[in-house]
Amino acid sequence: MYKKQSTGWFKHYDFIFIDLICLHLAFFLSYFLYQNGLGQLFKPGFARAMHPFIPYADPLYRNMAIFIVLAELVVTLLTGSFRGVLRRRWKKELVIMLRHTLAVFLLATLYLFSTQEADLYSRGTLYLMWVFYFAFLYPAVLLRKHAILHGHSYRGRPSLLVVTTSDLAEDVANHFSTYNFTRVRLCGIAVVDKEMTGEEICGIPVVADRMTVKDYVLHEWVDEIFTCFTGVNEAQKKLVNQFIVMGVTVHEKLNFRAEVMQNKQFVETLANYTVLTTSINYATTLQIALKRLMDVVGGLVGSLITLLLTPIMAIIIWTRSPGRVFFTQDRVGKNGKVFKIIKFRTMYKDAEARKAELMKNNQYEDDMMFKLDFDPRIIGNRMVDGKPHYGIGYKIRKLSLDEFPQFFNVLKGDMSLVGTRPPTLDEWEKYKLHHRARLAIKPGITGMWQVNGRSDIKDFEKVVALDTAYIKNWSVSLDLKILLKTVAVVIKREGSK
């Protein structure tokens, strides 16, 4: 799922945070200096009686402290003070920050007159606050911009692959070096008209050519793709459409309009290029924030339950199969990012080694996923008089207790409460182009597949169809429905035992 770039104030929460810090620093310092220093100069006899050092102790000033926060947020929302902040030169920044701080000052003044507290509030403190506010905010914004534009850390930023031709590759690489305002992490360049794999263009590695680029996107961590061609031929047009089928967000330098209208499309700016962005779906910044809030709250609750369960699970697991209580495994997450999933161990320690010999009994004929009717690798499972006997490991799985440590993955951000099942590395290697669409979002502890048959679904293509339908129709309300249905499924599963 593509996170749509917001044109509003939510996108620049770090600048808003800096703004609020500067505002309250100015508020505190103006009160302290004027009430205990400058303000005394205007009193008869230059009295030196000390005033309170903390403005928040005075109800009059405490109310103002609350109001200026609201005023700052209103001004930011209505004027878009930080919209396009990374693209602005210092002179334009000077004018905008001056206008921004003045607007907050005028709202504060209006508040005092509206509440009839203007005669009680120190005018000198109010004027001094505005001076300090601008003096602090303007350089702070410039410093933050410099840190973002010239910093070398791309942690948490989307991974972007450039797909272009040899005659444009250097120009595109220079553009991203100069205008990378969205701070994407360039994972490489694919040159589709010439064999240049292994070379570097402006310090960016060439990672694929026309023949290998699809395989690279299929098996590497790629969040987004930027395509730039002088004249688009049928082969290049087909290539772009294949990227879209794979569920990758595609930014096309505007030369043509992709003919995949069932996907979401909109025009935006990337590295100073005007591009047509196509994605399997997109979400506003607010929707993404709500989903993450659900994950954090659910992750905290689930992690607490996991901590309470761990001593009990440790005793159960150790008495049946001495070894580690937790099982970790490399799984493939959003857009090919590999992470370590964590579960309570429900299998014997040699389970992975025995997988190959049991593959012939796999319920999935295409081997795209692996599941057995009766898995002898599960702790306690054994054959008794020719009949399967299910052990404690099976019961733990029946109750989904083994899944609880994944809440730590949710808190970390590798997973979500609701999403798609994360494939293993060997499953990922077998993926076809359209299978990759399952990786367009974060994997989840539960999802559409889990609540619509799970073990009864033996066709991997049906799993892909369910996951793709979830991604295309995603909403916060859909996540809530799946979570409630998951609880009902687990209860029903236990009741039918």
Side-chain angles (χ1 to χ4, degrees):
M1 184 184 303
Y2 174 71
K3 177 183 174 182
K4 183 179 179 182
Q5 295 295 328
S6 171
T7 56
W9 55 308
F10 292 106
K11 181 181 176 182
H12 301 294
Y13 60 88
D14 50 344
F15 286 97
I16 296 173
F17 183 65
I18 290 171
D19 189 1
L20 290 173
I21 290 176
C22 292
L23 178 57
H24 268 270
L25 182 60
F27 173 74
F28 176 84
L29 195 58
S30 61
Y31 178 89
F32 178 79
L33 290 180
Y34 195 83
Q35 298 292 351
N36 297 292
L38 296 177
Q40 302 298 324
L41 298 177
F42 301 97
K43 292 192 174 183
F46 302 102
R48 294 294 179 179
M50 291 297 290
H51 288 252
F53 290 103
I54 307 298
Y56 307 101
D58 187 327
L60 176 64
Y61 287 87
R62 184 169 60 245
N63 292 339
M64 174 59 81
I66 297 172
F67 178 80
I68 58 177
V69 171
L70 299 176
E72 188 277 338
L73 295 177
V74 168
V75 170
T76 301
L77 177 62
L78 295 180
T79 65
S81 302
F82 299 110
R83 185 182 298 131
V85 62
L86 297 179
R87 298 182 175 88
R88 300 197 293 249
R89 301 296 182 184
W90 68 270
K91 289 183 179 179
K92 186 174 182 180
E93 197 66 63
L94 177 70
V95 174
I96 292 177
M97 289 300 101
L98 187 63
R99 184 178 62 195
H100 175 85
T101 56
L102 181 60
V104 174
F105 168 75
L106 292 176
L107 281 179
T109 304
L110 180 62
Y111 163 77
L112 290 175
F113 279 102
S114 300
T115 57
Q116 297 181 348
E117 294 178 341
D119 294 334
L120 303 175
Y121 198 95
S122 169
R123 293 179 179 81
T125 301
L126 186 63
Y127 296 142
L128 198 59
M129 181 191 75
W130 175 51
V131 173
F132 281 142
Y133 183 24
F134 175 75
F136 293 153
L137 182 60
Y138 178 58
V141 169
L142 293 182
L143 288 173
R144 178 57 182 158
K145 286 168 59 175
H146 184 273
I148 293 175
L149 295 175
H150 299 281
H152 298 290
S153 175
Y154 289 87
R155 185 177 180 181
R157 305 307 301 166
S159 174
L160 183 136
L161 174 69
V162 172
V163 180
T164 186
T165 52
S166 56
D167 59 321
L168 297 175
E170 185 174 350
D171 180 65
V172 173
N174 284 327
H175 250 78
F176 274 94
S177 296
T178 306
Y179 303 108
N180 191 9
F181 301 123
T182 53
R183 300 293 290 162
V184 294
R185 182 183 68 86
L186 288 179
C187 60
I189 298 176
V191 179
V192 296
D193 65 334
K194 188 177 180 181
E195 175 51 51
M196 296 177 64
T197 305
E199 299 181 24
E200 286 192 354
I201 300 175
C202 299
I204 304 172
V206 179
V207 296
D209 56 22
R210 183 175 63 85
M211 302 300 295
T212 61
V213 63
K214 288 181 291 185
D215 188 66
Y216 181 87
V217 174
L218 188 60
H219 295 114
E220 297 293 337
W221 174 17
V222 179
D223 292 310
E224 303 173 8
I225 292 175
F226 170 73
T227 64
C228 182
F229 306 119
T230 303
V232 182
N233 55 42
E234 286 302 315
Q236 293 166 346
K237 191 173 183 179
K238 181 180 178 181
L239 183 62
V240 170
N241 287 338
Q242 287 174 326
F243 291 148
I244 295 171
V245 169
M246 294 165 76
V248 187
T249 295
V250 179
H251 308 281
E252 304 167 58
K253 184 175 181 298
L254 277 176
N255 287 320
F256 73 98
R257 185 177 181 85
E259 298 174 357
V260 191
M261 297 309 295
Q262 67 268 26
N263 293 82
K264 310 295 183 181
Q265 294 185 319
F266 47 89
V267 176
E268 61 176 351
T269 301
L270 179 68
N272 218 36
Y273 290 115
T274 299
V275 299
L276 175 68
T277 297
T278 305
S279 176
I280 189 171
N281 199 353
Y282 67 84
T284 65
T285 309
L286 181 58
Q287 288 175 316
I288 292 293
L290 289 174
K291 184 173 177 66
R292 183 56 185 157
L293 179 61
M294 287 173 55
D295 288 344
V296 171
V297 173
L300 287 172
V301 174
S303 297
L304 179 60
I305 296 174
T306 303
L307 292 175
L308 297 175
L309 280 175
T310 298
I312 302 172
M313 298 298 293
I315 294 172
I316 294 173
I317 294 170
W318 262 84
T319 54
R320 269 73 169 187
S321 175
R324 294 184 302 169
V325 176
F326 295 103
F327 168 75
T328 60
Q329 185 183 46
D330 284 339
R331 292 292 184 96
V332 183
K334 182 180 178 181
N335 291 323
K337 182 179 181 181
V338 178
F339 70 100
K340 285 193 178 295
I341 197 171
I342 180 171
K343 296 184 177 184
F344 284 123
R345 183 170 64 89
T346 58
M347 290 189 173
Y348 293 109
K349 292 185 290 184
D350 62 347
E352 286 299 307
R354 296 170 59 187
K355 182 178 179 180
E357 65 183 72
L358 296 171
M359 189 62 74
K360 61 180 180 294
N361 299 321
N362 188 12
Q363 293 180 1
Y364 291 85
E365 296 181 0
D366 51 13
D367 292 337
M368 295 300 295
M369 295 172 66
F370 182 73
K371 189 171 182 63
L372 302 175
D373 286 323
F374 177 78
D375 195 337
R377 302 173 303 158
I378 295 177
I379 297 173
N381 277 11
R382 63 185 187 277
M383 299 298 292
V384 179
D385 298 329
K387 296 182 179 179
H389 172 80
Y390 295 95
I392 190 64
Y394 173 81
K395 295 175 182 177
I396 291 173
R397 289 187 166 204
K398 189 80 171 178
L399 294 171
S400 298
L401 296 177
D402 60 316
E403 309 282 354
F404 271 91
Q406 292 178 62
F407 284 107
F408 291 115
N409 290 118
V410 173
L411 274 183
K412 186 181 177 184
D414 290 327
M415 295 181 65
S416 179
L417 293 178
V418 184
T420 59
R421 174 189 173 274
T424 60
L425 294 179
D426 59 325
E427 291 170 352
W428 188 37
E429 289 296 325
K430 302 171 187 174
Y431 270 25
K432 298 177 182 178
L433 297 185
H434 66 286
H435 295 158
R436 193 195 184 280
R438 299 183 65 244
L439 305 179
I441 61 168
K442 288 182 182 180
I445 296 178
T446 186
M448 192 75 81
W449 168 64
Q450 287 90 333
V451 299
N452 285 278
R454 191 174 181 174
S455 300
D456 298 330
I457 300 176
K458 304 296 191 297
D459 186 354
F460 180 66
E461 293 300 332
K462 291 183 179 179
V463 175
V464 174
L466 283 171
D467 288 339
T468 304
Y470 165 73
I471 297 171
K472 288 184 175 181
N473 297 288
W474 177 84
S475 66
V476 174
S477 61
L478 178 59
D479 275 5
L480 291 173
K481 290 178 183 177
I482 291 175
L483 287 172
L484 293 174
K485 195 171 182 180
T486 299
V487 175
V489 168
V490 171
I491 294 174
K492 182 179 179 181
R493 192 188 306 157
E494 172 60 15
S496 63
K497 188 178 70 170

